[in-house]
């Protein structure tokens, strides 16, 4: 066919389509079985054409055309008896007219689905027609069920889902966490023009799959929302057994030791049997259902215990060997260790506090006078060095013979004349209590303050040596007195102050 032929054919199709559109019909009509449906038809603008007759033709999906209703203005309406719709179809208007040849079908069936052609016979244009499609809907009956299976390694059907007698065919889908596969849905056309859809789920079932969720969802045009079927998988298997309760600490004399036989299976286990590998059950053992209790552990418990559990599919068993210890292992010493650590920490804290106070006290003593009790920073002037800070006894030996007051050698501020007066037979200069100190002595003592302060640290190191000195060199020592300094001092006319009872030994 050349190009001109193709163009001619396309032009004819366009003309025919434009002419066909002159007959007005509803392109699609939807109905359900048992209802009544109306098919409308009209030729609104015939123009110069003369309408002579109108006919309705039924064209099934898989069958030939059949006239179901004819109207002629002169001969009236006619309904062929060989029509599959005979007795159920008629024109709406009575009597019918060419202006409104619409028809109504009562008690529609699924087999009534197909194309309905409204055809006008005109003169001189010929026949013109419009086509309406009748779509029959049928809400399906949906169902799903679980298939009880035995555990195994071969894939089998574990669940089915079916949508029956629907129009059009339903859609089936699966939702599950199982590691299986859904089969391709199969469609079966029923005699009443409905469709049945079926799908299955296959899995190699394991005991762990028992009770897991699986759902089937059916979607259809007649349902506003999909219908969901939630199910739980059923997998049967023999009992799985485990003995618990042994803590590896069964020692001689232990009481109330026990073992528990835990078992699960489908169907539920019905029998539990305890026995030993040797065949003899120790006398101290009591068995009650799945619990084995040992009243007192002895050497007869040093054996292997076996628990057997059975259901309708078979038996499962577990065993455990008991080792009886000579004595109870020592209890955990975590508490003892914690107590020791706490005690050590407390001791360290106490020792640290004690050392701190001892060091502080020692430093305060090093910065004050020995035996005076004065804190660091107490006045350290010539009066204290010359006259002491405490009372002396009347015999000049000091309180209780204490020799811890500051010690001065013969060159610490007293002139040679003063040191030689009242020489004690032991080589120590003794200053009589009645001797009056001159202003020269006090001034000389005060001028020595700065030098004494610088040498104070060196003198402290030498104190111990002089405290135990047994030689005969001249030593000047101020004894503490029992009365306060204010009571011991006496003011002179020249403004100086001297001690009443200063004793030098």
């Amino acid at each position: 066919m050349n190009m001109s032929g193709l163009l001619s054919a396309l032009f004819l199709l366009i003309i025919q389509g434009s002419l066909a559109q002159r007959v007005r019909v509803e392109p699609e009509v939807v109905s359900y079985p048992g209802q009544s449906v109306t098919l409308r038809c009209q030729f609104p603008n015939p123009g110069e054409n003369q309408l002579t007759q109108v006919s309705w033709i039924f064209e099934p999906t898989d069958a030939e055309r059949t006239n179901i209703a004819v109207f002629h203005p002169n001969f009236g309406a006619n309904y062929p008896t060989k029509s599959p719709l005979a007795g159920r179809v008629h024109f709406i208007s009575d009597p019918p007219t060419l202006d409104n040849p619409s028809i109504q079908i009562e008690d529609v069936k699924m087999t009534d689905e197909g194309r309905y052609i409204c055809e006008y016979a005109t003169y001189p244009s010929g026949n013109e027609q419009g086509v309406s499609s009748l779509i029959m809907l049928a809400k399906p009956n949906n169902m799903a069920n679980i298939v009880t299976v035995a555990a195994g390694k071969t894939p089998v059907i574990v669940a089915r889902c079916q949508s029956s007698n629907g129009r059009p065919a339903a859609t089936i889908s699966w939702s599950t966490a199982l590691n299986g596969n859904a089969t391709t849905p199969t469609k079966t056309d029923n005699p009443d023009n409905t469709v049945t859809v079926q799908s299955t789920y296959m899995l190699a079932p394991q005991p762990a799959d028992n009770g897991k969720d699986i759902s089937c969802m059916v979607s259809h045009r007649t349902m506003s929302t999909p219908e969901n079927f939630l199910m739980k998988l059923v997998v049967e298997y023999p009992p799985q057994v485990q003995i618990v309760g042994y803590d590896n600490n069964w020692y001689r004399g232990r009481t109330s030791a026990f073992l528990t036989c835990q078992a699960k299976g489908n169907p539920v286990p019905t029998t539990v049997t305890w026995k030993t590998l040797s065949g003899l059950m120790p006398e101290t053992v009591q068995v009650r259902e799945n619990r084995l209790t040992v009243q007192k552990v002895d050497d007869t418990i040093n054996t292997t215990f076996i628990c057997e559990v059975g259901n309708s599919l078979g038996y499962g068993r577990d065993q455990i060997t008991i080792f009886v210890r000579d004595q109870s292992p020592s209890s955990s010493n975590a508490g003892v260790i914690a107590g020791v650590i706490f005690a050590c920490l407390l001791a360290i804290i106490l020792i640290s506090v004690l050392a701190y106070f001892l060091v502080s006290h020692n430093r305060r003593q090093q910065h004050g006078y020995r035996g005076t009790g004065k804190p660091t920073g107490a006045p350290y002037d010539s009066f204290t060095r010359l006259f002491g800070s405490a009372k002396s006894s009347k015999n000049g030996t000091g309180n209780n013979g204490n020799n811890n007051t500051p010690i001065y050698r013969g060159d610490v501020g007293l002139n040679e004349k003063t040191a030689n007066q009242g020489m004690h037979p032991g080589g120590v200069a003794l200053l009589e209590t009645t001797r009056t100190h001159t202003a020269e002595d006090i001034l000389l003592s005060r001028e020595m303050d700065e030098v004494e302060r610088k040498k104070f640290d060196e003198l402290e190191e030498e104190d111990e040596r002089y405290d135990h000195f047994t030689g005969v060199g001249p030593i000047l020592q101020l004894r503490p007195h029992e009365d306060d300094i204010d009571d011991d001092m006496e003011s002179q006319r020249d403004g100086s102050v001297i001690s009443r009872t200063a004793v030098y030994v």
Side-chain angles (χ1 to χ4, degrees):
M1 183 179 295
N2 55 21
M3 184 61 67
S4 59
L6 290 175
L7 292 175
S8 299
L10 181 60
F11 180 75
L12 291 174
L13 289 175
I14 293 173
I15 294 298
Q16 291 179 358
S18 62
L19 292 175
Q21 291 178 354
R22 297 174 65 181
V23 178
R24 293 183 179 178
V25 294
E26 294 177 315
E28 184 177 281
V29 178
V30 178
S31 183
Y32 290 89
Q35 294 182 346
S36 297
V37 61
T38 299
L39 303 178
R40 302 185 183 279
C41 181
Q42 188 178 13
F43 202 139
N45 298 311
E48 296 180 355
N49 293 319
Q50 183 179 358
L51 305 180
T52 60
Q53 181 177 300
V54 63
S55 301
W56 281 94
I57 304 170
F58 173 48
E59 187 180 67
T61 304
D62 53 356
E64 297 181 354
R65 290 185 174 190
T66 303
N67 288 333
I68 59 173
V70 179
F71 171 72
H72 190 275
N74 297 329
F75 300 103
N78 181 44
Y79 304 102
T81 56
K82 295 183 178 180
S83 165
L85 283 79
R88 296 186 294 118
V89 60
H90 62 272
F91 288 99
I92 292 178
S93 59
D94 188 20
T97 63
L98 294 176
D99 294 333
N100 184 20
S102 300
I103 62 173
Q104 185 178 52
I105 304 173
E106 297 177 352
D107 191 21
V108 292
K109 304 181 183 300
M110 296 302 301
T111 54
D112 294 340
E113 185 179 73
R115 298 193 341 146
Y116 289 81
I117 304 167
C118 179
E119 185 178 77
Y120 274 91
T122 66
Y123 180 84
S125 298
N127 294 339
E128 295 186 15
Q129 61 184 19
V131 179
S132 292
S133 295
L134 175 61
I135 298 175
M136 296 299 299
L137 297 180
K139 186 176 181 179
N141 296 320
N142 305 319
M143 61 176 296
N145 64 287
I146 286 294
V147 179
T148 301
V149 296
K153 298 181 179 180
T154 304
V156 294
I157 297 175
V158 296
R160 288 191 177 95
C161 191
Q162 182 172 296
S163 178
S164 304
N165 303 322
R167 186 72 182 185
T171 302
I172 297 177
S173 60
W174 293 90
S175 176
T176 182
L178 295 170
N179 190 23
N181 297 294
T183 60
T184 302
T186 58
K187 299 179 181 179
T188 304
D189 293 329
N190 301 316
D192 59 355
N193 208 27
T194 59
V195 181
T196 297
V197 183
Q198 187 179 41
S199 179
T200 59
Y201 193 88
M202 300 191 70
L203 173 73
Q206 301 299 317
D209 295 329
N210 183 52
K212 288 189 175 180
D213 294 335
I214 184 171
S215 61
C216 165
M217 186 170 61
V218 179
S219 303
H220 193 262
R221 181 175 177 177
T222 60
M223 299 184 301
S224 58
T225 57
E227 188 173 3
N228 191 32
F229 297 92
L230 180 62
M231 302 168 286
K232 290 186 178 297
L233 208 63
V234 178
V235 179
E236 293 184 339
Y237 57 95
Q240 295 178 339
V241 184
Q242 182 182 12
I243 298 176
V244 298
Y246 180 59
D247 58 1
N248 199 28
N249 187 26
W250 287 26
Y251 52 89
R252 290 186 182 90
R254 176 175 174 175
T255 58
S256 299
F258 63 87
L259 299 175
T260 301
C261 184
Q262 296 180 348
K264 57 181 180 179
N266 189 24
V268 177
T270 55
T271 61
V272 179
T273 303
W274 286 94
K275 59 185 179 180
T276 63
L277 194 62
S278 62
L280 298 176
M281 187 65 68
E283 295 181 357
T284 59
V285 171
Q286 290 184 349
V287 175
R288 185 176 181 181
E289 296 180 354
N290 67 328
R291 188 180 181 91
L292 182 148
T293 303
V294 180
Q295 295 178 343
K296 186 175 183 180
V297 177
D298 54 21
D299 289 338
T300 61
I301 307 302
N302 203 27
T303 185
T304 299
F305 290 96
I306 302 172
C307 176
E308 288 187 353
V309 181
N311 64 4
S312 60
L313 297 181
Y315 290 88
R317 60 179 288 170
D318 188 24
Q319 65 183 38
I320 188 169
T321 300
I322 306 298
F323 295 95
V324 177
R325 298 177 179 273
D326 293 337
Q327 60 183 0
S328 174
S330 60
S331 60
S332 174
N333 58 355
V336 177
I337 294 175
V340 171
I341 293 175
F342 178 77
C344 291
L345 291 176
L346 184 60
I348 291 173
I349 293 174
L350 293 176
I351 292 173
S352 300
V353 172
L354 181 61
Y356 171 77
F357 281 107
L358 289 177
V359 171
S360 300
H361 181 69
N362 186 37
R363 287 180 178 176
R364 287 196 297 268
Q365 275 193 335
Q366 289 179 359
H367 290 80
Y369 291 107
R370 290 178 176 268
T372 63
K374 290 187 177 183
T376 303
Y380 182 70
D381 54 14
S382 59
F383 292 100
T384 306
R385 293 198 306 273
L386 289 174
F387 310 124
S389 60
K391 294 181 179 181
S392 63
S393 63
K394 294 181 180 182
N395 58 10
T397 61
N399 186 21
N400 297 330
N402 186 9
N403 196 29
N404 291 330
T405 56
I407 302 173
Y408 296 89
R409 291 196 297 262
D411 56 352
V412 296
L414 298 177
N415 54 28
E416 184 177 355
K417 179 180 178 179
T418 304
N420 292 331
Q421 291 179 357
M423 181 68 68
H424 192 272
V428 180
L430 175 62
L431 181 62
E432 295 179 354
T433 60
T434 59
R435 184 182 181 280
T436 302
H437 293 278
T438 67
E440 181 183 1
D441 294 335
I442 296 173
L443 180 61
L444 178 62
S445 176
R446 289 182 177 179
E447 289 176 351
M448 294 297 291
D449 285 345
E450 295 298 329
V451 177
E452 292 297 333
R453 294 178 189 275
K454 294 180 181 179
K455 294 182 178 181
F456 184 76
D457 293 337
E458 297 178 359
L459 291 177
E460 289 293 326
E461 296 176 359
E462 296 176 358
D463 281 348
E464 293 297 327
R465 180 158 54 94
Y466 284 108
D467 287 343
H468 303 285
F469 182 74
T470 57
V472 295
I475 297 176
L476 176 62
Q477 184 174 7
L478 300 181
R479 288 296 186 180
H481 307 295
E482 296 177 354
D483 297 330
D484 296 333
I485 294 177
D486 293 341
D487 297 336
D488 189 50
M489 297 301 179
E490 180 179 359
S491 300
Q492 303 299 314
R493 293 180 180 179
D494 58 0
S496 62
V497 181
I498 64 174
S499 174
R500 295 175 180 174
T501 62
V503 179
Y504 295 84
V505 289

